[in-house]
């Protein structure tokens, strides 16, 4: 690890701060104001460039409405679970996406869809568009019959 590279734990904690901040719709400026710091400092925390001290982490947790342990919670794909490095990397990519504005918007919209069949069809559509293995795992349902009824 290069001396200038952020510590992976600091980067993980920062990504969790960002994810929670975006989940509740709080800007970096508003979080910074609540902490009495600049928004640039919040950016550095979220990137893992600067380490968050314990008292500051507690203040962030209070503002974001979570327990400080929230910032350390990992998925089952964590390095401690004995999963291969590729799985850990994929888990980090997923966490990054979920913490992005697009990821949060997509998750919010998807969660409003109550029909489980429609949810599966959306997943199949996106997987097919991305040409991922998930596209092959999900068998075609009534879509082919629907296409036949349109043509016949």
């Amino acid at each position: 690890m290069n001396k200038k590279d952020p510590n992976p734990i600091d980067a993980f904690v920062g990504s969790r701060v960002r994810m929670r901040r975006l989940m509740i719709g709080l800007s970096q400026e508003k979080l910074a104001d609540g902490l009495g710091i600049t928004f640039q400092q919040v950016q550095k925390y979220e990137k893992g460039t600067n380490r968050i001290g314990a008292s500051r982490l507690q203040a962030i947790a209070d503002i974001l409405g979570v327990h400080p342990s929230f910032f350390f919670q990992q998925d089952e794909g964590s390095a401690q679970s004995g999963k291969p490095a590729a799985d850990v990397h994929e888990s980090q990519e997923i966490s990054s996406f979920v913490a992005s504005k697009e990821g949060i918007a997509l998750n919010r919209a998807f969660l409003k869809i109550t029909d489980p069949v429609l949810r599966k069809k959306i997943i199949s559509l996106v997987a097919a568009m991305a040409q991922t293995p998930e596209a092959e795992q999900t068998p075609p349902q009534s879509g082919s019959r629907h296409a036949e009824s349109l043509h016949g």
Side-chain angles (χ1 to χ4, degrees):
M1 183 166 74
N2 186 340
K3 193 170 186 170
K4 293 190 178 194
D5 288 340
N7 180 293
I9 295 170
D10 295 332
F12 180 80
V13 170
S15 74
R16 298 283 293 179
V17 169
R18 177 176 169 76
M19 179 176 67
R20 179 64 184 165
R21 179 181 60 74
L22 291 172
M23 284 172 64
I24 64 171
L26 192 68
S27 69
Q28 287 180 332
E29 291 84 4
K30 293 284 185 190
L31 179 56
D33 288 346
L35 296 170
I37 60 176
T38 66
F39 80 92
Q40 290 94 339
Q41 184 65 39
V42 171
Q43 286 177 330
K44 290 178 180 181
Y45 286 157
E46 289 182 355
K47 290 178 183 174
T49 306
N50 287 9
R51 185 168 292 148
I52 304 173
S55 60
R56 179 68 44 88
L57 189 63
Q58 179 66 56
I60 292 170
D62 291 345
I63 292 169
L64 299 180
V66 293
H67 190 273
S69 65
F70 170 85
F71 303 113
F72 297 96
Q73 295 171 349
Q74 293 187 353
D75 298 337
E76 292 170 13
S78 69
Q80 289 83 8
S81 68
K83 300 250 181 182
D87 289 349
V88 172
H89 178 70
E90 182 180 19
S91 177
Q92 290 170 342
E93 284 180 339
I94 291 168
S95 292
S96 278
F97 171 71
V98 171
S100 72
K101 288 180 183 178
E102 295 89 0
I104 289 172
L106 184 62
N107 277 299
R108 283 184 176 149
F110 188 80
L111 289 173
K112 291 181 182 177
I113 300 169
T114 57
D115 181 356
V117 174
L118 181 55
R119 282 180 168 210
K120 286 181 181 179
K121 287 181 179 182
I122 291 169
I123 293 168
S124 295
L125 172 65
V126 173
M129 291 170 65
Q131 300 177 347
T132 65
E134 289 87 358
E136 292 141 21
Q137 292 175 1
T138 309
Q141 297 187 1
S142 60
S144 58
R145 281 186 262 136
H146 179 66
E148 289 169 8
S149 66
L150 289 176
H151 298 296

